[in-house]
Amino acid sequence: MTAVRPSLRVEKRLLGAGRVTVIGMDEVGRGAIAGPVAVGVAAVTIDVGRVPQGLADSKLLSAPRRTELVPVVRRWARTAVGMTAAEVVDQQGIVPALGQAGAAALGALVGDGLSLDGAVVVLDGSSDWLSRALPPGLAPTDGPLEVVVRVKADRDCASVAAASVVAKVERDALMVAAHDDAPHYAWASNKGYGSTAHYDGIRAVGAHALHRKSWLHQASAVALDGFDLLSAVG
């Protein structure tokens, strides 16, 4: 698959306007029926080097290429990944879960010594699910953290593409590891998304602790292949 090459045009415009740090942010696993939702961040400053060769939105890259890029990306930018468990998605909904994962990722950067003074977050998508989730202690000294929402930022902005790659690789690794304990769901191949093999596993052995139970209840309303998933969820 041919990847669209992201650039630093947006980041350099923000840095040129006086921001000290641009933090690209992207989510992975929003549409999965099992596993956590993950949010990656990649922070760059005015002295950022050239975009790593081959960097693109994680969805446009093969799994081996994403894995190869992770150490390169981690040398190029300051990165972190935050995750929120499936049970939080069930209890609070996907949007609060995304916000908590994003806040955890930012908290990891701050814990590693990054200052949020003069920082701006470039968030992929069409809505700001981050700002409401940020705790008071996770903010610049002079006010709230600035968040810029940009559709297709994971394809256009190198920092956001880098964030998507590190988040995707870390979440995929977690689901592959979970497959060893629960092979019925074929998580090694579907990574928690709703494939035929995944639903077959739910039919065969029921739901797992990593499943988003409320999402399976919603799916049951469609009576997937004549099978009511409510009977598997319990």
Side-chain angles (χ1 to χ4, degrees):
M1 182 180 293
T2 301
V4 177
R5 182 172 173 80
S7 73
L8 286 165
R9 179 177 57 85
V10 171
E11 289 90 339
K12 288 187 174 180
R13 185 177 73 237
L14 291 167
L15 292 166
R19 277 71 165 195
V20 176
T21 307
V22 176
I23 304 171
M25 178 176 287
D26 197 16
E27 56 81 15
V28 173
R30 182 172 190 156
I33 62 171
V37 65
V39 172
V41 289
V44 298
T45 53
I46 195 66
D47 59 350
V48 62
R50 296 179 61 182
V51 177
Q53 185 174 3
L55 178 64
D57 170 19
S58 63
K59 295 184 292 295
L60 301 177
L61 298 170
S62 67
R65 183 57 182 147
R66 289 193 296 264
T67 300
E68 291 172 358
L69 275 169
V70 166
V72 178
V73 163
R74 291 195 184 280
R75 289 192 296 269
W76 177 74
R78 301 179 72 169
T79 67
V81 178
M83 295 196 191
T84 306
E87 63 187 271
V88 177
V89 177
D90 282 335
Q91 294 166 1
Q92 301 181 32
I94 189 62
V95 173
L98 285 169
Q100 290 176 39
L106 284 175
L109 285 182
V110 171
D112 196 38
L114 180 73
S115 172
L116 293 179
D117 289 345
V120 56
V121 172
V122 178
L123 177 60
D124 177 62
S126 58
S127 63
D128 177 6
W129 40 257
L130 175 67
S131 294
R132 190 176 300 178
L134 293 175
L138 197 60
T141 56
D142 59 353
L145 180 64
E146 182 181 5
V147 177
V148 174
V149 176
R150 183 179 176 86
V151 175
K152 295 190 184 302
D154 51 0
R155 299 195 181 197
D156 300 335
C157 303
S159 64
V160 181
S164 77
V165 168
V166 295
K168 175 68 172 167
V169 170
E170 192 160 320
R171 185 184 183 279
D172 281 1
L174 184 152
M175 296 309 297
V176 169
H179 173 95
D180 293 339
D181 293 326
H184 314 283
Y185 309 109
W187 285 336
S189 59
N190 63 53
K191 310 304 188 294
Y193 288 87
S195 70
T196 299
H198 193 167
Y199 284 119
D200 285 346
I202 299 170
R203 290 184 181 93
V205 300
H208 188 275
L210 283 177
H211 278 111
R212 302 174 189 177
K213 307 298 192 304
S214 60
W215 291 39
L216 299 184
H217 278 260
Q218 293 165 17
S220 72
V222 183
L224 189 71
D225 291 335
F227 175 79
D228 187 352
L229 286 178
L230 285 172
S231 64
V233 176

